[in-house]
Amino acid sequence: MNLNQNIVKDKLTSVIIAAIQDKKGQDITVIDLSKIESSPAPTLIICQARSTSQVSAVADNVRDEVSKELKIKPYAVDGYRNSQWIIVDFGSVMVHIFLPEPREFYRLEDLWSDGEISEIPNID
């Protein structure tokens, strides 16, 4: 990844985190996978919400804010049908928004524990 790509990825990550926090998403984890060749994206952002409607609201806000601030649209979005786990894929950053139970079941932080993991403090 070159310098410009890193700057865009860092700005994208910041906008996504702010959008999650704006809708009261919690327990945000950022995993840097840039040094792992087989990773699905250089950066994973994982968070959770308390209800299916909040999961959808967080995903909508992430999409809206990234589009508004950076003029970037996701490559793919999946999970709105049941809204227990929505994935928003921006290519260099993949966002996972979970209900608590599926997050605990899939444990993505454990799956990608060889990446550099950062916990973002909740704002309540």
Side-chain angles (χ1 to χ4, degrees):
M1 214 179 259
N2 68 33
L3 182 59
N4 280 346
Q5 289 172 320
N6 277 332
I7 291 169
V8 170
K9 183 182 68 127
D10 291 347
K11 180 65 175 162
L12 179 58
T13 299
S14 296
V15 170
I16 290 167
I17 291 169
I20 292 168
Q21 291 173 329
D22 185 49
K23 293 297 177 187
K24 309 291 189 245
Q26 296 191 315
D27 299 328
I28 302 168
T29 301
V30 178
I31 306 176
D32 180 350
L33 300 172
S34 60
K35 295 181 177 88
I36 301 170
E37 283 186 38
S38 63
S39 70
T43 302
L44 297 182
I45 298 176
I46 305 165
C47 70
Q48 67 188 40
R50 292 182 285 280
S51 66
T52 55
S53 57
Q54 187 186 17
V55 169
S56 295
V58 170
D60 289 345
N61 202 47
V62 165
R63 293 168 70 187
D64 293 346
E65 289 300 309
V66 169
S67 178
K68 185 172 76 176
E69 297 274 328
L70 302 174
K71 310 290 188 254
I72 298 172
K73 295 197 181 297
Y75 294 112
V77 178
D78 195 21
Y80 273 98
R81 182 169 294 158
N82 65 19
S83 294
Q84 293 185 14
W85 174 11
I86 295 177
I87 301 170
V88 185
D89 182 359
F90 291 101
S92 62
V93 179
M94 190 176 284
V95 185
H96 297 265
I97 305 137
F98 283 100
L99 284 177
E101 296 81 17
R103 183 178 186 176
E104 179 63 28
F105 180 80
Y106 288 103
R107 304 178 67 85
L108 294 184
E109 293 90 341
D110 291 347
L111 182 65
W112 293 105
S113 62
D114 45 350
E116 184 178 318
I117 297 176
S118 304
E119 304 286 337
I120 308 298
N122 289 332
I123 32 180
D124 305 276

